[in-house]
Amino acid sequence: YLNRKFWVRGLIIDTQRGNFLKIDRHKYVRLAYHGFNPISSITRKHLYSRTFNKVPSFTEKSFVNMDTLFQHVDAHLFASLVDMKDRGEYEFLDDRTYEEIYRQVRQCVDLCHRDGVIKDEVARNPEKYLVLDDGLFPMLKSYRDAGLKVFLLTNSYWEYTSVVMNYLFHEEKVGKEEQKKNSWLDYFDVSFVYLVLFVFEYLLCNYAVIYVLHLTEKRLK
């Protein structure tokens, strides 16, 4: 069970030690946990305090910044496995370092995103996973009314984007005929989907092709 109140953006994961750090703007570690267990002040200062000739940068590859809400899942899984390893009750964790455990957590979460298992479940039951905001579309309308340009940008496929945006717009899961109307598109000047492909092509080839989806004709151009 993911306890969302336990995690916040801005933490740093020390994958080498299985620790989670909260630092201030001077890069002083104010709070530290090992898995879900608080680290004592003495131990924290011993591990992370600066010396007269060295200030921790926390930029080494063993440190991971929790910049997005997506990383809350990684953090919770990693902390759970750190506790499981420390208890010594699971042999398959005994010969793995904390870094190896974190790397495998990342690989598994990435796989769940790539193979569509997460999005398929959300699309089947959006009311279970998506939080409605009755101020969302009035806000978008106010932007448009003020003459501002509004766009949607996502890495998700069009099919998933359509399900999610229709749910947010209608505030309930709608049937296929209503979904085909995609009335929410009127609130955006342009919508970009599956941008991860665009970025990949650009990085690989230094250029990328943008396709236009014609909804009525059901074809790409």
Side-chain angles (χ1 to χ4, degrees):
Y1 173 73
L2 175 60
N3 182 358
R4 289 178 291 181
K5 294 181 179 180
F6 192 85
W7 305 106
V8 295
R9 285 179 292 179
L11 299 180
I12 292 179
I13 304 175
D14 181 350
T15 63
Q16 192 174 57
R17 299 184 177 95
N19 296 344
F20 298 84
L21 316 175
K22 183 176 183 179
I23 67 173
D24 62 19
R25 61 179 178 172
H26 303 294
K27 297 184 178 179
Y28 178 79
V29 178
R30 294 286 180 183
L31 193 66
Y33 273 67
H34 179 72
F36 288 107
N37 301 302
I39 295 175
S40 69
S41 175
I42 294 176
T43 303
R44 168 172 54 84
K45 291 176 180 178
H46 173 73
L47 292 175
Y48 301 110
S49 285
R50 66 183 70 193
T51 60
F52 72 94
N53 62 349
K54 184 179 180 181
V55 178
S57 64
F58 300 105
T59 57
E60 295 86 349
K61 65 178 182 179
S62 60
F63 293 104
V64 176
N65 292 309
M66 288 179 58
D67 297 326
T68 70
L69 295 176
F70 290 103
Q71 289 169 301
H72 289 195
V73 175
D74 298 19
H76 193 88
L77 288 173
F78 183 48
S80 299
L81 288 167
V82 167
D83 285 355
M84 290 168 63
K85 175 178 172 62
D86 291 347
R87 289 197 298 269
E89 300 173 1
Y90 303 90
E91 291 186 5
F92 72 94
L93 292 173
D94 291 343
D95 61 347
R96 288 175 171 81
T97 65
Y98 294 123
E99 280 187 298
E100 289 172 336
I101 293 172
Y102 180 80
R103 186 165 57 249
Q104 290 175 353
V105 166
R106 273 274 69 243
Q107 291 170 349
C108 291
V109 173
D110 279 344
L111 178 60
C112 289
H113 284 288
R114 286 199 307 270
D115 66 12
V117 64
I118 295 177
K119 290 183 172 66
D120 290 345
E121 175 60 23
V122 174
R124 279 192 294 268
N125 195 7
E127 58 272 14
K128 182 178 179 180
Y129 300 102
L130 302 180
V131 179
L132 294 173
D133 183 349
D134 56 11
L136 175 59
F137 284 94
M139 177 191 69
L140 295 174
K141 183 178 184 301
S142 69
Y143 288 161
R144 297 292 300 275
D145 292 345
L148 300 177
K149 299 295 183 182
V150 182
F151 67 90
L152 173 73
L153 186 149
T154 175
N155 283 331
S156 299
Y157 289 109
W158 163 252
E159 292 80 6
Y160 178 75
T161 303
S162 177
V163 170
V164 170
M165 294 305 296
N166 269 296
Y167 175 76
L168 295 177
F169 180 74
H170 294 284
E171 299 188 346
E172 62 180 356
K173 188 174 181 180
V174 297
K176 290 184 179 180
E177 291 304 315
E178 186 63 38
Q179 183 176 326
K180 288 178 181 178
K181 297 178 182 178
N182 288 297
S183 303
W184 57 270
L185 283 170
D186 295 336
Y187 289 78
F188 299 95
D189 292 280
V190 62
S191 298
F192 298 95
V193 297
Y194 201 33
L195 256 291
V196 66
L197 178 62
F198 175 88
V199 173
F200 178 77
E201 286 184 346
Y202 183 80
L203 292 176
L204 189 66
C205 308
N206 207 30
Y207 72 90
V209 177
I210 296 180
Y211 294 95
V212 178
L213 175 62
H214 294 264
L215 296 178
T216 56
E217 302 175 23
K218 296 182 180 180
R219 66 184 180 89
L220 295 174
K221 183 177 180 183

mmCIF file of all heavy atoms in Angstrom, residues 3 25 68 120 172:
data_model
loop_
_atom_site.group_PDB
_atom_site.id
_atom_site.type_symbol
_atom_site.label_atom_id
_atom_site.label_comp_id
_atom_site.label_asym_id
_atom_site.label_seq_id
_atom_site.Cartn_x
_atom_site.Cartn_y
_atom_site.Cartn_z
ATOM 1 N N ASN A 3 1.676 4.825 0.804
ATOM 2 C CA ASN A 3 1.299 5.909 1.713
ATOM 3 C C ASN A 3 1.778 7.220 1.105
ATOM 4 O O ASN A 3 2.946 7.590 1.229
ATOM 5 C CB ASN A 3 1.920 5.686 3.089
ATOM 6 C CG ASN A 3 1.505 6.757 4.085
ATOM 7 O OD1 ASN A 3 0.774 7.692 3.744
ATOM 8 N ND2 ASN A 3 1.975 6.633 5.316
ATOM 9 N N ARG A 25 18.913 24.192 1.401
ATOM 10 C CA ARG A 25 19.561 24.837 0.255
ATOM 11 C C ARG A 25 21.076 24.883 0.382
ATOM 12 O O ARG A 25 21.784 25.142 -0.596
ATOM 13 C CB ARG A 25 19.011 26.257 0.083
ATOM 14 C CG ARG A 25 19.255 27.166 1.267
ATOM 15 C CD ARG A 25 18.705 28.551 0.995
ATOM 16 N NE ARG A 25 18.890 29.437 2.134
ATOM 17 C CZ ARG A 25 18.642 30.748 2.102
ATOM 18 N NH1 ARG A 25 18.188 31.291 0.994
ATOM 19 N NH2 ARG A 25 18.831 31.492 3.175
ATOM 20 N N THR A 68 9.665 14.200 -9.356
ATOM 21 C CA THR A 68 8.301 14.037 -9.868
ATOM 22 C C THR A 68 7.491 13.115 -8.963
ATOM 23 O O THR A 68 8.040 12.332 -8.171
ATOM 24 C CB THR A 68 8.310 13.447 -11.287
ATOM 25 O OG1 THR A 68 8.737 12.068 -11.236
ATOM 26 C CG2 THR A 68 9.260 14.207 -12.200
ATOM 27 N N ASP A 120 -3.579 0.342 -19.112
ATOM 28 C CA ASP A 120 -4.746 -0.502 -19.404
ATOM 29 C C ASP A 120 -5.674 -0.584 -18.198
ATOM 30 O O ASP A 120 -6.906 -0.528 -18.339
ATOM 31 C CB ASP A 120 -4.300 -1.910 -19.815
ATOM 32 C CG ASP A 120 -3.636 -1.943 -21.188
ATOM 33 O OD1 ASP A 120 -3.777 -0.944 -21.919
ATOM 34 O OD2 ASP A 120 -2.982 -2.954 -21.505
ATOM 35 N N GLU A 172 -17.065 11.370 -15.544
ATOM 36 C CA GLU A 172 -17.504 9.975 -15.463
ATOM 37 C C GLU A 172 -17.008 9.255 -16.707
ATOM 38 O O GLU A 172 -16.657 9.889 -17.708
ATOM 39 C CB GLU A 172 -19.032 9.877 -15.391
ATOM 40 C CG GLU A 172 -19.744 10.422 -16.617
ATOM 41 C CD GLU A 172 -21.249 10.298 -16.512
ATOM 42 O OE1 GLU A 172 -21.727 9.720 -15.519
ATOM 43 O OE2 GLU A 172 -21.939 10.769 -17.427
#
